[in-house]
Structures are given as structure tokens and as C-alpha cells.
Amino acid sequence: MTYDIEIGRGKRGRRAYSLDDIAIIPSRRTRDPKDVSVKWQIDAYQFETPVIGAPMDSVMSPATAIALGNLGGLGVLDLEGLWTRYENPQPVLDEIAALESSVTDPAATRRMQELYEAPVQPELITSRLAEIRAAGVTVAGALTPQRTQEFYKTVVAAGVDIFVIRGTTVSAEHVSKTAEPLNLKQFIYELDVPVIVGGAAGYTPALHLMRTGAAGVLVGFGGGASTTTRRALGIRAPMASAISDVASARRDYLDESGGRYVHVIADGGMGSSGDIVKAIAMGADAVMLGAALARADEAPGQGWHWGAEAHHPELPRGDRVRLDTVGPLGEVLFGPAHQANGTSNLIGALRRSMATTGYSDLKEFQRVEVVVS
């Protein structure tokens, strides 16, 4: 069966589906939500929930990474963000929150670019990660591929447990005539910590990333609520198809490698509990959340949400969007919810959906029947 359609006489394209395009179907069996397990493990690290906090300044600070860790998730700190550029970033966060509210205002974008011109300070990388480690939770930090060579020794020396390399698009083979590219396979081989890398949006690039030795692959381009990558670059990854494609690469790589399992982590475009449910149904082992966690009272963005794309020095392709807050982080994850729109009690909704369709754990739930709605 082929999904290629004719766009015009000179071009064909593959039909792809977003999470909005699909729905899950209940089976003949139901369960008590209390009997459902949403535990997730990557390498030696086990978590009570399959939730990873996206490395975005509006979502994760050292304090919120610690809070998420204590709630059973994994918080990832952006090691190129405000927390490693400023000794005290709170005044900067306050200023960003107070900028002109129009998302299209160029003055606001220009000011954010200026604020992010401050250099990353290696000593702040060390101290921020040490703060998280002192709290007794799993320590995770993220760098872009462009800055990994520069700072990874500092990150590893600081005692990071899980290393994340996250960019708009990350490939196993980057070609450059002007700079020595990061050799992912050699880099991961030389590290003593598990590496999560991405984004990838298709079978082949994901398979190549798995062959580098990555413990997990991020699917998508992140920043779903705030990114304008589709508008600026014409690039988009309909998430339902992307997750399914990468899950297929995981299965084939499991056979190819003789049993090595690489985790698929959906990243971007999951602002509600229903999106999280469908991402796991399509084959994700865990989800990396930005906007969904930026709505927590404790989030550094104070009800605003933005990613690194919003302050890119040369080609900004992201917005600073107003989300407002819906309650404490604990309520966002575990309820009780006071909204009926899927922005609170995310894990409760996942449990109930799994129970309604008769599945007891996340791996089983990946087999749930779905339809194109």
C-alpha cells in the first residue's frame, strides 16, 4: 500500500497525519485506572511517569527540574539558556514576561536577542547541575549540536546523569565546508552517560541516530506551541506519522543490533493530555513537554512560553506566546483538574485512557487500535 499522492504532474508527496487526525479505540476489556502503570525506564534510570520537561527557559529552571524529578518525571535544563548566562536570571525573566504582548512585535524579538547575547558561563553550568544533583533527583542537561563540543566536558564533569543533544533537526551525518562537525557516533561512544538526541522526523534519519549509540531519539522539532519553523523554513513533522515511522526504525534496529532497545521520545506539539495519550499510542515511550508544563504556577515563564528559536540571532523562527497558568505543577500532572480542556491532570488522563482501552502498561498501550478520524 502506498500513501503517495500526486501534488502536481511534477511532484508526489507522502500523506502524513498529525495527532489531531487520529483517535484511539476502546477494546473489549477495561481496567481500573489504579491498576495501570505509567512507569518508564531509560538505561539505569527509572521514572514514575513518562514525562520529560523540555529544555526551555520558560519551562525548566533548576527549581522546576527538581520539582518535576520529585514528582516522578525528568527535568532537562537548557545549558545554553538564561540560567547559564546570568548569575541571577530572575530580572531577565521578569523583563521577558513584561515585553510587548503582541507575538509579532519585532521590538520584543530584538530585545530577546539582546538578552541572549550574554555568553554562556561554564562555571554556571557546573553550579546549576550541582544544585539539581544536591536535591537527589536525576540530573539532565541539554546542549545544541553546535555547542556540544565546546561545553560537553564541563557538563560531564559536573555529574550529569543523562545528556541531551537537542536541535531543530539533528542528523548522524552533518556536512560542513567551514567547520568540523560533531561526530555523534564517536562522541556517544566516548561518553559514560546515556545520550538522548534529536529531533528526527522520519525512519531513515532516526535509524542512523540509533546506530550512533543513542539511548533515546527525540521525534519532532520541539517547541510546538511557540515555533514558527513551518512558516519560516517550510519544515513540519506531522507527529502521528513521525512517531510511527521512528517506532518502526526502533523495531528494525532492535533486530539489527541483536536486542538493543532505543527509546522513542515524542517532542513537540503535545499541549493537552489527549495529545500525550495519542503520542504513546503511536509508539512513543515517553513525551517531552514544553507548553503543557509552562502552564504550571512554578514555571519560570510566568505564563509565557518561548523556545530557543524565538531569540535566534540570525533567523528567529519562534514566538513568545501567552499560555496563562492553570495550577501548581503537581496538579498539572496529577490533578485534581479544574479545567475540562486537557491542560491539567495529564497523567490521570493517560491512566484513564489506558484503563478504558484495557492496557496495563505503556508498552502494551503502544498496541492500541487507532483510527484516522
Side-chain angles (χ1 to χ4, degrees), residues 172-195:
E173 182 180 356
H174 177 68
V175 179
S176 173
K177 294 181 179 180
T178 59
E180 182 67 26
L182 174 66
N183 185 324
L184 265 179
K185 188 170 186 177
Q186 179 181 343
F187 174 78
I188 292 173
Y189 177 78
E190 292 175 353
L191 285 184
D192 292 328
V193 299
V195 177

Side-chain angles (χ1 to χ4, degrees), residues 181-232:
L182 174 66
N183 185 324
L184 265 179
K185 188 170 186 177
Q186 179 181 343
F187 174 78
I188 292 173
Y189 177 78
E190 292 175 353
L191 285 184
D192 292 328
V193 299
V195 177
I196 296 172
V197 62
Y203 175 93
T204 300
L207 185 61
H208 283 302
L209 288 178
M210 292 173 187
R211 288 169 176 164
T212 66
V217 172
L218 298 171
V219 184
F221 303 136
S226 60
T227 185
T228 60
T229 297
R230 182 183 186 183
R231 194 162 67 230

Side-chain angles (χ1 to χ4, degrees), residues 73-114:
L74 174 66
V76 182
L77 190 67
D78 180 6
L79 300 179
E80 299 173 42
L82 298 175
W83 293 92
T84 58
R85 295 173 189 263
Y86 295 91
E87 182 70 40
N88 177 18
Q90 192 57 53
V92 182
L93 290 163
D94 293 341
E95 180 177 348
I96 292 175
L99 289 173
E100 167 63 43
S101 60
S102 172
V103 296
T104 58
D105 181 36
T109 299
R110 188 178 303 113
R111 182 55 183 153
M112 289 186 69
Q113 290 172 317
E114 293 169 353

Side-chain angles (χ1 to χ4, degrees), residues 224-368:
S226 60
T227 185
T228 60
T229 297
R230 182 183 186 183
R231 194 162 67 230
L233 300 183
I235 295 174
R236 178 177 177 245
M239 284 295 285
S241 294
I243 296 168
S244 179
D245 286 346
V246 177
S248 178
R250 174 187 59 200
R251 180 196 61 219
D252 291 349
Y253 180 70
L254 187 69
D255 293 338
E256 174 188 305
S257 63
R260 185 172 181 274
Y261 189 91
V262 179
H263 294 265
V264 173
I265 301 165
D267 179 16
M270 292 168 293
S272 69
S273 55
D275 295 328
I276 296 169
V277 169
K278 290 186 281 188
I280 294 175
M282 293 307 298
D285 297 292
V287 293
M288 178 170 277
L289 301 180
L293 300 183
R295 295 189 180 98
D297 293 341
E298 302 93 323
Q302 305 171 40
W304 289 92
H305 181 47
W306 66 91
E309 302 87 358
H311 52 78
H312 192 282
E314 297 172 359
L315 183 61
R317 50 191 185 276
D319 290 329
R320 183 189 59 115
V321 295
R322 182 69 185 177
L323 298 176
D324 294 320
T325 56
V326 297
L329 182 60
E331 287 188 7
V332 170
L333 290 175
F334 302 109
H338 305 294
Q339 297 82 18
N341 57 4
T343 56
S344 293
N345 199 2
L346 304 177
I347 301 303
L350 174 60
R351 283 182 177 276
R352 185 167 295 276
S353 188
M354 292 171 64
T356 300
T357 52
Y359 295 91
S360 59
D361 62 41
L362 296 173
K363 286 306 299 179
E364 283 188 359
F365 189 58
Q366 292 174 353
R367 301 198 300 266
V368 69

